[in-house]
Amino acid sequence: MESLNLFIKSIFIDNMIFAYFLGMCSYLAVSKTVKTSMGLGIAVTFVLTLTVPINYLLENYVLKPGALSWLGESFADVDLSFLSLIFFIAVVASIVQLVEMVVEKYSPSLYASLGIFLPLIAVNCAILGGSLFMQQRSFDSVGTATVFGLGSGIRWLLAIVGIAAIREKLAYSNVPAPLKGIGITFIITGLMGIAFMSFLGIKL
Amino acid sequence: MKNKEILLGPLSKNNPVIVQVLGICSALAVTSKLEPSIVMAISVIAVVALANVVISLLRNTIPNSIRIIVQLVVVAALVIIVDQVLKAFAYDVSKQLSVFVGLIITNCIVMGRLEAFALSHGPWESFLDGVGNGLGYGLILVIVGFFRELLGSGTLLGFQVIPQAFYELGYMNNGLMILPPMALIVVACIIWVHRSYNKDLQEK
């Protein structure tokens, strides 16, 4: 029950993309068609579901103050938390490399349409942000961390598919010339953000 | 002349945030007040400029296939330094910035400049390019932070700016400006103004 709550909460309520703007760059750049944004969204969800639990284990058994105590008494007061950024980004980069190889092998058309953005998932702030929020909120088990990663991924997927669908229609509308393209996308994202804020009142 | 262009180009014509649409995530999330925006801008200037110099010095020795990892490690090391310095000297602000200092690693401006500039230019030009892009990014952050704090809480850097007499006449702070989605709309307005002056940047 607890994890179901967290799952729904991480999809709708603390919406990472609208409240913290994580993953904005690829969100704005890839959201031109629904198909590619769906592909990218699934890749991001997959990477988040893998990296958050892995980083959770790293955090709790290697990095946290006193986390190394399973190695023996003398390690009990070692604090490696200042290394967490490097550890997290290394995990993210290697998982992304893995996903890239898998996608290239099994779905070359998706690989071609994602282009440069597949390797750029490594520097997608939503991924590293997921791990950093995990660290900040100190979840109690790997299970909860996984659920949080999956939920964060799905909400990113929802957001990018939503904006892509709107942008496909937007191509037919008459937007003031200086706002065309990126400007109007910003405004629509802002409006979507306000709409998503209506979930804020829900207590789970 | 050429160096001047490298330094000043990114301020307007080639601005990383509003023209190249890079580094949006942090640009939006930290700008609800002016002070964190300024601190964030300074941190990013430091990281981009130094990372550019380091990569530019290493550019002939890095094998092409592992350059992303090398870049990430260099950037992550610099960000850890910035993070520790902020925690030591500006603890309150570093609490407000929360995960966003760590997220400078995945700020696309940093990676973008390393890929596009530092890998093919000397250290001095790379330094100027880094400072220029950092300034261009900082400029937008400060403008957005200025308007959001002024309209949202009636203060600047924590000091009351809008006189008490206004409030007595019925003026109210616009609470909407503090909410995250308004950052997007303020940036969209900046893009609108900027593109109506620079017609060549308008999208078809």
Side-chain angles (χ1 to χ4, degrees):
Chain A
M1 201 57 214
E2 190 80 338
S3 8
L4 184 68
N5 280 351
L6 181 75
F7 183 61
I8 293 176
K9 211 171 142 198
S10 53
I11 293 182
F12 292 108
I13 301 174
D14 13 73
N15 199 306
M16 214 193 261
I17 191 155
F18 294 127
Y20 304 105
F21 306 109
L22 296 179
M24 253 316 161
C25 308
S26 31
Y27 172 85
L28 291 171
V30 184
S31 61
K32 290 207 173 89
T33 61
V34 173
K35 201 161 164 271
T36 33
S37 50
M38 193 76 172
L40 186 72
I42 291 171
V44 166
T45 312
F46 183 69
V47 174
L48 260 174
T49 323
L50 284 178
T51 51
V52 173
I54 292 178
N55 283 337
Y56 178 85
L57 292 175
L58 266 179
E59 161 81 5
N60 278 288
Y61 293 101
V62 181
L63 296 169
K64 248 195 347 206
L68 280 174
S69 52
W70 55 274
L71 274 180
E73 281 294 305
S74 51
F75 289 94
D77 50 356
V78 178
D79 179 3
L80 291 178
S81 51
F82 66 96
L83 282 180
S84 55
L85 286 178
I86 286 204
F87 267 80
F88 288 178
I89 199 72
V91 169
V92 171
S94 39
I95 298 274
V96 168
Q97 198 73 55
L98 198 76
V99 171
E100 192 184 346
M101 290 191 290
V102 171
V103 172
E104 193 180 6
K105 183 139 188 347
Y106 291 104
S107 173
S109 62
L110 181 63
Y111 183 77
S113 64
L114 288 177
I116 179 76
F117 280 96
L118 205 52
L120 277 185
I121 294 182
V123 288
N124 184 326
C125 350
I127 312 272
L128 186 61
S131 294
L132 291 176
F133 277 114
M134 174 275 297
Q135 187 186 28
Q136 210 176 45
R137 290 180 196 174
S138 43
F139 293 119
D140 50 6
S141 73
V142 191
T144 9
T146 319
V147 168
F148 175 75
L150 180 65
S152 313
I154 291 181
R155 109 192 105 184
W156 202 85
L157 174 81
L158 276 181
I160 196 171
V161 173
I163 191 86
I166 297 179
R167 280 181 82 172
E168 278 187 358
K169 297 283 171 214
L170 207 62
Y172 307 108
S173 43
N174 190 10
V175 179
L179 268 182
K180 264 195 189 135
I182 208 67
I184 194 72
T185 314
F186 269 89
I187 292 185
I188 289 172
T189 314
L191 294 178
M192 280 173 81
I194 293 176
F196 263 85
M197 290 193 99
S198 56
F199 287 112
L200 275 181
I202 301 173
K203 283 264 180 304
L204 282 175
Chain B
M1 183 55 213
K2 202 173 150 275
N3 281 351
K4 197 179 156 201
E5 234 163 66
I6 294 175
L7 182 64
L8 297 180
L11 285 185
S12 164
K13 277 277 171 194
N14 214 0
N15 190 293
V17 179
I18 58 177
V19 179
Q20 301 173 33
V21 201
L22 295 174
I24 306 291
C25 333
S26 52
L28 300 172
V30 300
T31 50
S32 65
K33 290 260 172 354
L34 188 53
E35 195 189 0
S37 326
I38 294 174
V39 173
M40 187 71 185
I42 296 172
S43 322
V44 171
I45 294 172
V47 173
V48 185
L50 292 176
N52 257 359
V53 172
V54 174
I55 293 294
S56 161
L57 288 172
L58 292 175
R59 69 183 188 280
N60 295 325
T61 50
I62 304 175
N64 199 35
S65 51
I66 59 157
R67 64 178 198 286
I68 303 263
I69 308 240
V70 175
Q71 288 162 1
L72 277 178
V73 171
V74 170
V75 177
L78 288 167
V79 170
I80 288 177
I81 296 173
V82 167
D83 189 32
Q84 300 288 332
V85 168
L86 280 184
K87 276 196 183 125
F89 294 104
Y91 189 71
D92 294 339
V93 184
S94 95
K95 266 267 155 314
Q96 277 181 45
L97 291 174
S98 74
V99 299
F100 290 101
V101 179
L103 287 177
I104 298 178
I105 298 178
T106 55
N107 191 320
C108 340
I109 295 178
V110 183
M111 291 299 279
R113 288 335 287 172
L114 294 179
E115 280 282 295
F117 200 91
L119 280 177
S120 53
H121 292 79
W124 176 239
E125 281 127 340
S126 303
F127 177 74
L128 288 179
D129 178 77
V131 173
N133 277 285
L135 281 176
Y137 170 85
L139 185 70
I140 303 298
L141 242 71
V142 170
I143 297 176
V144 177
F146 175 82
F147 282 111
R148 285 183 72 194
E149 184 169 1
L150 182 67
L151 299 176
S153 7
T155 55
L156 282 180
L157 290 172
F159 297 106
Q160 192 68 35
V161 176
I162 295 184
Q164 195 57 40
F166 276 46
Y167 290 101
E168 279 154 19
L169 288 172
Y171 174 83
M172 289 230 278
N173 287 329
N174 184 354
L176 199 58
M177 293 302 280
I178 300 287
L179 298 179
M182 284 311 285
L184 286 160
I185 295 179
V186 175
V187 174
C189 294
I190 297 176
I191 293 178
W192 193 348
V193 173
H194 186 249
R195 294 206 174 164
S196 16
Y197 285 103
N198 297 290
K199 292 228 167 10
D200 50 320
L201 292 176
Q202 292 174 8
E203 287 168 46
K204 293 279 145 30

